[in-house]
Amino acid sequence: AQTVTQSQPEMSVQEAETVTLSCTYDTSESDYYLFWYKQPPSRQMILVIRQEAYKQQNATENRFSVNFQKAAKSFSLKISDSQLGDAAMYFCAYRRSTGANSKLTFGKGITLSVRP
Amino acid sequence: EAGVAQSPRYKIIEKRQSVAFWCNPISGHATLYWYQQILGQGPKLLIQFQNNGVVDDSQLPKDRFSAERLKGVDSTLKIQPAKLEDSAVYLCASSPQRSYEQYFGPGTRLTVT
């Protein structure tokens, strides 16, 4: 079975600084997707960034980028120029690539606070 | 495009009572998911529908939980009878056919006392 581990329960960053959120996963599959989701307080979960396992290039979306290390099964999220609106819970998630709409397996999440 | 709608947003019940949650996915999305998110944990899939058929319900406690998706559109999730450990946020998500992305609703926060 696939597992996703987020070992840091909380992190804090100064506004305008950079922060990195860690995630490791375990799978026997060779092809899969990895995601970072953001869940603001009392608001719905939204997709921040995704990475296909077959791609060597790390995904980037504006201020968000990932460091995908397939051999180490590591998938960290870097947030540059942190903003107050980045404060939220962040979940790392895994999904098999085969099988239509296969389920997401989430980590426990990390609470990110942004200091003004 | 309207997002995933869920109701109610909050519900408080006593243990052994029954409760039902409703979800209306994004129009045209074939796949619908129900997740349970216990405080301090990530969401856990309870059941996945493809149109009106069940794809995965391996983690649904079938002795007390049931779900249906009539006509392949909206869905209801029911708990009968509720236990204290069912206190959680119940998230509904939907996805277009053969898509990696899931769109989440705002969730229903259930408190069982």
Side-chain angles (χ1 to χ4, degrees):
Chain A
Q2 294 81 22
T3 59
V4 177
T5 302
Q6 294 179 254
S7 56
Q8 309 155 302
E10 298 179 353
M11 285 198 75
S12 181
V13 64
Q14 189 76 35
E15 193 176 8
E17 296 294 308
T18 295
V19 64
T20 299
L21 312 182
S22 302
C23 173
T24 59
Y25 60 94
D26 189 25
T27 182
S28 58
E29 304 279 341
S30 60
D31 200 12
Y32 47 87
Y33 293 102
L34 294 166
F35 306 87
W36 278 98
Y37 277 87
K38 173 184 178 181
Q39 189 176 41
S42 301
R43 295 181 62 186
Q44 58 209 79
M45 195 172 306
I46 57 172
L47 178 65
V48 174
I49 197 166
R50 68 173 173 90
Q51 173 81 41
E52 292 94 333
Y54 68 86
K55 290 185 177 179
Q56 293 186 334
Q57 186 172 7
N58 289 323
T60 62
E61 287 287 343
N62 300 314
R63 297 183 296 108
F64 299 88
S65 62
V66 299
N67 184 4
F68 173 49
Q69 302 290 327
K70 191 172 184 179
K73 295 181 180 176
S74 171
F75 182 62
S76 60
L77 174 69
K78 185 172 81 171
I79 306 174
S80 304
D81 186 25
S82 297
Q83 301 175 0
L84 295 178
D86 295 334
M89 279 206 75
Y90 287 81
F91 292 94
C92 179
Y94 165 99
R95 175 187 178 273
R96 288 171 54 197
S97 65
T98 56
N101 299 107
S102 60
K103 69 178 182 182
L104 287 169
T105 300
F106 287 88
K108 287 189 174 183
I110 178 170
T111 300
L112 177 66
S113 59
V114 181
R115 305 186 302 275
Chain B
E1 175 182 76
V4 176
Q6 291 188 249
S7 67
R9 292 294 311 277
Y10 304 92
K11 189 74 175 178
I12 301 174
I13 62 171
E14 295 181 352
K15 60 184 179 184
R16 292 186 289 274
Q17 286 187 324
S18 302
V19 65
F21 312 128
W22 175 82
C23 172
N24 190 27
I26 293 173
S27 178
H29 282 195
T31 310
L32 185 147
Y33 309 81
W34 282 103
Y35 290 89
Q36 180 192 56
Q37 185 178 12
I38 293 173
L39 185 65
Q41 298 183 21
K44 180 186 80 171
L45 181 72
L46 291 176
I47 189 167
Q48 175 185 342
F49 292 96
Q50 183 77 13
N51 296 308
N52 60 350
V54 175
V55 174
D56 184 349
D57 64 355
S58 57
Q59 297 192 87
L60 186 74
K62 298 180 184 64
D63 57 334
R64 297 185 301 105
F65 286 65
S66 64
E68 60 182 8
R69 189 183 185 196
L70 299 176
K71 300 180 182 178
V73 183
D74 55 353
S75 175
T76 56
L77 176 69
K78 297 179 182 178
I79 308 175
Q80 180 180 9
K83 293 185 175 181
L84 296 177
E85 59 261 36
D86 298 332
S87 294
V89 175
Y90 291 85
L91 298 169
C92 180
S94 69
S95 180
Q97 189 82 4
R98 289 185 292 276
S99 171
Y100 64 82
E101 186 163 357
Q102 296 183 21
Y103 298 81
F104 285 82
T108 295
R109 182 176 297 276
L110 173 67
T111 302
V112 182
T113 63

